[in-house]
Amino acid sequence: MSFTPAPWPRSLRSREWYGGTGRDSIYHRSWLKNQGYPADLFDGRPVIGILNTWSELTPCNGHLRGLAEKVKAGVWEAGGFPVEVPVFSASENTFRPTAMMFRNLAAMAVEETIRGQPVDGVVLMVGCDKTTPSLLMGAASCDLPAIVISGGPMLNGWFKGRRVGSGTALWQMSEAIKAGEMTEAEFLEAEQAMSRSSGTCNTMGTASTMASMAEALGMALSGNAAIPGVDSRRAVMAQLTGRRIVQMVKDDLKPSDILTRAAFANAIRANAAIGGSTNAVLHLLALAGRVGLDLTLDDWDALGRDVPTVVNLMPSGEYLMEEFFYAGGLPVVLRQLGEAGLLEKEALTVSGGPVWDEVKAAENHNDDVIRPAERALTASGGIVVLKGNLAPGGAVLKPSAASPGLMQHRGRAVVFEDIDDYKAKIADEALEIDETCVMVLKNCGPKGYPGMAEVGNMGLPPKVLRKGITDMVRISDARMSGTAYGTVVLHTSPEAAAGGPLAVVRTGDMIELDVPGRRLHLDISEAELAERLAAWEAPAPPGGGGYARLHHDHVMGAETGADLDFLVGCRGAPVGRDSH
């Protein structure tokens, strides 16, 4: 897809604030000069907003403050004027009830930060799970030139000679505790090995997945996703990103030029190839909505169905992000997709050229980390989209992290009405449950939790774990961490709190899961299902006001990306009326 740069020089958006000799221009310039900026910086050069999600309460992004200085250096070198702006940072591991509830709020904040201030382009400094989609969504809505720089993953964790994957090891060890296979002292010792450097999760969790999605979409420089956060090459990438955004402003290369249907096709296939997080489904659907693209769950299934998972990383495989980087990173994966006819080679990237030019010479330095298709972890990776009378709007499952023996299963439902009900019952030895049952969790979707928490990968009952069983079929309207694993059906739509069929499943009902047939079925008659739904009563909305009520009243279903209904669609960033 060809791109024709805009003529340069020309008057930029920031001149509406800083250009001229009138009272308002002097007002804006004079206040900024209190930081020691000389007058010639206001000569019409590109003003670059460095939107930083650094926060000491967002550990994945705790090193971005220093990385911002490298971005600034690149902007200065290219003749721009960098201004660093803190933006909403929703940490996956600290925000309650869940960071997902605040993704849309963060996107709103980013959108208005861009729209209301004198910037001509933005660098999106991201890392932790929700920071990448929220900044991309906000920037896409404004459609000023934008580029992503990720913070990068942590170095490998090690414990007793074994790799410790962020999140993945936590789930494994907590189950081992319940099964009596690990002591609490060992668990606490392992904790010290889980996060041994700055950066995001070192597994192919949601943070690494979304960094890969940004690169596959063309919104980051080639090679950005996998460089560890403490590697000197991460600082180099930040500086090059700062240089590049200045030229993007001069060329007027915008998100709407890059975020095309071809770009989303590349991202969906890349997600399949890397064994990426199911959370990418929600975030890419929401991002597509921001640019006015009609992307659906059916597209996810069709585009990803026949793509093999070739990246051998936890939670699907053996290695971690550090090895993925050493093997060649995402450019190698994109090259393999291209050679297999599964890449839209002409899709435009922030480089100003087609993606194929960026990856066609990428070399694989470890074919056990990035495998050839004939040795794939899963021949048909992708994200499976299930439908049926239990999920008329769809549900998703990640086959590369699931148990092959459970891909076709019929079992008795054991129902938990919400997460508190689950926590109260799961360890009860009297609970009538065994490994053949299907665990069903309700009221954990976008409205129900609220915010759609990562609780779908319910821990198994201790009495089942003690048998040596490590997986069961689990169904919910919740999400699960990208670091998690199992035969877990997620995002069931419509959700229980919105009156979907999930709301009326009862303990003892039989449920059929048929992954090859893309089917999720509740074995009751249509008449009985209709009768149960007619008798269902909606839960009371959250009390009080504020964002929680706004979220409840306006969040859409998981099948559309769970954005707020009034935020969908690209609106641009016009210069508003001056208030002085």
Side-chain angles (χ1 to χ4, degrees), residues 305 384 386 404 406-409 513-519:
R305 177 178 291 214
V384 169
L386 304 161
L406 292 174
M407 294 300 215
Q408 290 179 301
H409 183 81
L513 170 66
D514 180 7
V515 174
R518 301 307 200 255
R519 183 170 180 262

Side-chain angles (χ1 to χ4, degrees), residues 449-472:
Y449 193 80
M452 203 177 184
E454 291 184 335
V455 294
N457 56 315
M458 295 168 273
L460 306 192
K463 66 180 182 181
V464 172
L465 290 167
R466 289 195 296 270
K467 297 180 182 180
I469 303 297
T470 58
D471 196 12
M472 292 172 60

Side-chain angles (χ1 to χ4, degrees), residues 154 164-171 194-195 200-203 314 320 483:
M154 292 185 283
V164 175
S166 307
T168 303
L170 183 66
W171 318 133
M194 289 180 181
S195 304
T200 59
C201 294
N202 55 23
T203 50
M314 298 180 194
L320 296 170
T483 66

